[in-house]
Coordinates of all heavy atoms in Angstrom, one line a residue:
I1483 N -24.4 7.7 -10.1 CA -24.6 9.1 -9.5 C -25.4 8.9 -8.2 O -25.0 9.5 -7.2 CB -25.5 9.9 -10.5 CG1 -24.5 10.4 -11.6 CG2 -26.0 11.2 -9.7 CD1 -25.0 11.3 -12.6
I1496 N -21.8 27.5 15.9 CA -22.4 26.9 17.1 C -23.5 27.8 17.5 O -23.2 29.0 17.6 CB -21.3 26.9 18.2 CG1 -20.2 25.9 17.7 CG2 -22.0 26.3 19.5 CD1 -19.1 25.8 18.8
A1518 N -2.0 38.7 -2.1 CA -3.0 38.1 -3.0 C -4.2 39.0 -2.8 O -5.0 39.0 -3.8 CB -3.3 36.6 -2.5
A1526 N -10.1 43.1 -9.7 CA -11.6 43.3 -9.6 C -12.0 44.5 -10.5 O -13.2 44.7 -10.7 CB -12.1 43.4 -8.1
R1531 N -14.3 41.9 -18.0 CA -13.5 41.2 -19.0 C -13.5 39.6 -18.7 O -13.4 39.2 -17.6 CB -11.9 41.6 -18.9 CG -11.8 43.0 -19.1 CD -11.6 43.3 -20.6 NE -11.4 44.7 -20.8 CZ -12.0 45.4 -21.8 NH1 -12.8 44.9 -22.7 NH2 -11.7 46.7 -22.0
I1556 N -1.7 22.0 -15.1 CA -3.1 22.4 -15.4 C -3.7 23.0 -14.2 O -3.4 22.5 -13.1 CB -4.0 21.2 -15.9 CG1 -5.3 21.5 -16.3 CG2 -3.8 20.0 -14.9 CD1 -6.1 20.6 -17.1
C1569 N -10.2 11.7 -13.0 CA -11.0 10.6 -13.1 C -11.9 10.6 -14.3 O -12.1 9.5 -14.9 CB -12.0 10.7 -11.9 SG -11.1 10.5 -10.3
S1573 N -10.9 7.4 -16.8 CA -11.6 6.2 -16.4 C -13.2 6.4 -16.8 O -13.7 7.5 -17.1 CB -11.6 6.0 -14.9 OG -12.4 7.0 -14.2
S1587 N -12.1 12.2 1.4 CA -13.4 11.7 1.3 C -14.1 12.0 -0.2 O -15.0 11.5 -0.5 CB -14.3 12.2 2.3 OG -14.4 13.6 2.3
I1593 N -14.9 9.4 -8.3 CA -15.0 8.2 -9.1 C -16.3 7.8 -9.5 O -16.6 7.5 -10.7 CB -14.4 7.1 -8.1 CG1 -13.0 7.3 -7.7 CG2 -14.5 5.6 -8.9 CD1 -12.4 6.5 -6.6
C1602 N -11.6 0.2 -2.5 CA -11.0 0.9 -1.3 C -10.0 -0.2 -0.6 O -10.3 -1.4 -0.3 CB -12.1 1.0 -0.2 SG -11.3 1.8 1.3
V1619 N -4.4 -4.3 -7.6 CA -4.4 -3.8 -9.0 C -4.9 -5.1 -9.9 O -4.5 -6.1 -9.8 CB -3.0 -3.4 -9.4 CG1 -2.9 -3.2 -11.0 CG2 -2.6 -2.2 -8.7
V1626 N -4.8 5.1 -9.4 CA -4.6 4.9 -7.9 C -4.5 6.4 -7.4 O -3.8 7.2 -7.8 CB -3.3 4.2 -7.6 CG1 -3.1 4.2 -6.1 CG2 -3.2 2.9 -8.1
D1671 N 9.0 16.4 -1.2 CA 8.9 17.2 -2.7 C 7.4 17.0 -3.3 O 7.2 17.4 -4.4 CB 9.9 16.6 -3.6 CG 9.5 15.5 -4.4 OD1 8.6 14.7 -4.0 OD2 10.2 15.1 -5.5
T1686 N -1.0 16.6 -7.6 CA -1.9 17.7 -7.5 C -1.6 18.6 -6.3 O -1.1 18.1 -5.3 CB -3.5 17.3 -7.4 OG1 -3.6 16.5 -6.3 CG2 -3.9 16.5 -8.6
V1692 N -1.8 26.3 2.7 CA -0.8 27.2 3.2 C -1.0 28.6 2.6 O -0.5 29.7 3.0 CB 0.6 26.7 2.9 CG1 1.0 26.9 1.5 CG2 1.7 27.2 3.9
G1696 N -8.7 29.2 0.5 CA -9.8 28.0 0.3 C -11.0 28.7 -0.3 O -11.7 28.1 -1.0
Y1704 N 0.3 18.5 -12.1 CA 1.4 18.6 -12.9 C 1.8 17.1 -13.3 O 1.8 16.2 -12.5 CB 2.6 19.1 -12.1 CG 4.0 19.1 -12.8 CD1 4.2 20.0 -13.7 CD2 5.0 18.1 -12.5 CE1 5.5 20.1 -14.4 CE2 6.1 18.1 -13.3 CZ 6.4 19.1 -14.1 OH 7.7 19.1 -14.8
A1733 N 0.0 35.0 -4.8 CA 0.2 34.1 -3.7 C 1.5 33.1 -3.9 O 2.1 32.9 -3.0 CB -1.0 33.3 -3.3
A1764 N -3.8 9.3 22.1 CA -2.9 8.9 21.1 C -2.9 10.0 19.9 O -4.0 10.4 19.6 CB -3.3 7.6 20.7
D1766 N -0.5 10.5 16.3 CA 0.7 10.3 15.4 C 1.3 11.7 15.2 O 0.8 12.7 15.1 CB 0.2 9.6 14.1 CG -0.3 8.3 14.2 OD1 0.3 7.4 15.0 OD2 -1.3 8.0 13.5
T1770 N 1.3 17.6 8.4 CA 0.2 18.5 7.8 C -0.2 19.7 8.8 O 0.6 20.0 9.6 CB -1.1 17.6 7.6 OG1 -1.6 17.3 8.9 CG2 -0.8 16.5 6.7
A1775 N -6.4 13.2 16.8 CA -6.3 13.0 18.2 C -7.3 11.7 18.4 O -8.5 11.8 18.1 CB -6.9 14.1 19.1
A1788 N -17.7 17.7 22.8 CA -18.8 18.4 23.5 C -18.2 19.6 24.3 O -18.5 20.7 24.3 CB -19.6 17.6 24.4
D1793 N -16.8 25.4 24.5 CA -15.8 26.4 24.6 C -15.8 27.2 23.3 O -14.9 28.0 23.0 CB -14.5 26.0 25.0 CG -14.3 25.8 26.4 OD1 -15.3 26.2 27.1 OD2 -13.2 25.5 26.9
T1812 N -7.6 21.1 13.3 CA -6.6 21.9 12.5 C -5.7 22.8 13.5 O -6.1 23.3 14.5 CB -7.5 23.0 11.7 OG1 -8.4 22.3 10.8 CG2 -6.6 23.9 10.8
R1830 N -10.4 16.5 30.1 CA -9.6 15.5 30.9 C -9.8 15.5 32.4 O -10.0 14.5 33.0 CB -8.2 15.5 30.5 CG -7.2 14.5 31.2 CD -7.7 13.1 31.0 NE -7.1 12.3 30.0 CZ -7.7 11.2 29.4 NH1 -8.9 10.8 30.0 NH2 -7.1 10.5 28.5

Side-chain angles (χ1 to χ4, degrees):
I1483 291 181
I1496 299 176
R1531 301 280 181 214
I1556 185 167
C1569 294
S1573 77
S1587 61
I1593 295 167
C1602 182
V1619 172
V1626 173
D1671 84 345
T1686 60
V1692 82
Y1704 180 78
D1766 292 320
T1770 62
D1793 278 358
T1812 303
R1830 178 50 95 198

